[in-house]
Amino acid sequence: MKQIEHTVEAIILASRWLLVVFYVGLAAALVLYALSFVAKLYEFVMKLFELGETDTILKMLALIDAALVASLVVMVIISGYENFVSRFDNADGSEISWLGKVDAGSLKIKVASTIVAISSIHLLQVFLNVQQFTESQLMWLTIMHMAFVVSALLLAYIDRLMTLRYPAKKSQDTRTNSGSRKAPDQSI
């Protein structure tokens, strides 16, 4: 019976490698999004001297928005792979120190903050083109943005509460020195 249990556990643990398909897919999508960014940049450069100040700002905001979205995708790919699949190592076997600093809780806050930033840029674009929107549309766009802001604040608050309640869990590394992961603590 113990052998069956170990086999099931090995299969479940190995299933984490299925996530690699998603991360590689996100990387491929990021390449396509980069091509889209280059097209937007080219269009902006070709029309630079024809655009008014507001249109120039709108084009720059669209580029900033694209950069934030791309950063969000990279953050999810790297943190997801590092947290759920495997640790990144250099060719010589040493760890890459700047990776692995984002745990699942921190990732949620970073993602929420990035979404708020993207939403802020979108709302600024809307307000720069306010004549193209009805009052009702402006109200709902503002309400949706505020929902993102409140959600991000609540996530940060919850993370702060967890840090205060379980300070050792938040501050200690969840891996052993050999590179294998420790089993998660089930004492919550």
Side-chain angles (χ1 to χ4, degrees), residues 87-96 177-179:
R87 177 176 258 185
F88 285 99
D89 297 323
N90 284 328
D92 63 1
S94 64
E95 286 185 30
I96 302 173
N177 291 334
S178 66

Side-chain angles (χ1 to χ4, degrees), residues 165-181:
R165 183 165 179 175
Y166 305 106
K169 288 182 185 177
K170 191 70 174 171
S171 63
Q172 75 183 178
D173 189 14
T174 60
R175 299 177 184 103
T176 62
N177 291 334
S178 66
S180 63
R181 300 183 188 279

Side-chain angles (χ1 to χ4, degrees), residues 135-171:
E135 281 187 34
S136 176
Q137 288 173 318
L138 292 172
M139 178 190 70
W140 282 110
L141 288 168
T142 304
I143 288 171
M144 286 190 312
H145 174 70
M146 292 310 298
F148 290 140
V149 170
V150 170
S151 297
L153 289 173
L154 286 174
L155 277 173
Y157 179 70
I158 290 168
D159 189 61
R160 176 75 175 140
L161 287 177
M162 294 301 291
T163 303
L164 292 174
R165 183 165 179 175
Y166 305 106
K169 288 182 185 177
K170 191 70 174 171
S171 63

Side-chain angles (χ1 to χ4, degrees), residues 12-142:
I12 290 171
L13 188 58
S15 70
R16 75 186 190 279
W17 287 98
L18 293 173
L19 290 171
V20 172
V21 174
F22 295 94
Y23 300 135
V24 170
L26 283 173
L30 189 60
V31 169
L32 298 174
Y33 196 59
L35 293 173
S36 168
F37 177 85
V38 169
K40 287 179 189 175
L41 180 62
Y42 178 77
E43 177 188 340
F44 176 52
V45 169
M46 290 295 111
K47 295 181 178 180
L48 180 63
F49 297 109
E50 300 169 12
L51 298 173
E53 184 178 355
T54 301
D55 289 333
T56 301
I57 292 171
L58 286 170
K59 293 286 187 185
M60 288 175 26
L61 287 173
L63 295 175
I64 292 169
D65 188 40
L68 284 171
V69 170
S71 298
L72 178 65
V73 172
V74 168
M75 189 183 342
V76 169
I77 292 169
I78 291 174
S79 297
Y81 184 87
E82 178 80 11
N83 283 319
F84 302 114
V85 179
S86 181
R87 177 176 258 185
F88 285 99
D89 297 323
N90 284 328
D92 63 1
S94 64
E95 286 185 30
I96 302 173
S97 64
W98 60 273
L99 293 174
K101 303 278 192 239
V102 179
D103 62 1
S106 298
L107 178 62
K108 286 179 194 173
I109 293 170
K110 288 179 186 275
V111 167
S113 299
T114 304
I115 290 170
V116 168
I118 292 167
S119 175
S120 298
I121 289 170
H122 180 69
L123 198 58
L124 181 57
Q125 289 172 324
V126 166
F127 285 134
L128 287 173
N129 279 325
V130 73
Q131 66 279 4
Q132 296 178 4
F133 297 90
T134 66
E135 281 187 34
S136 176
Q137 288 173 318
L138 292 172
M139 178 190 70
W140 282 110
L141 288 168
T142 304

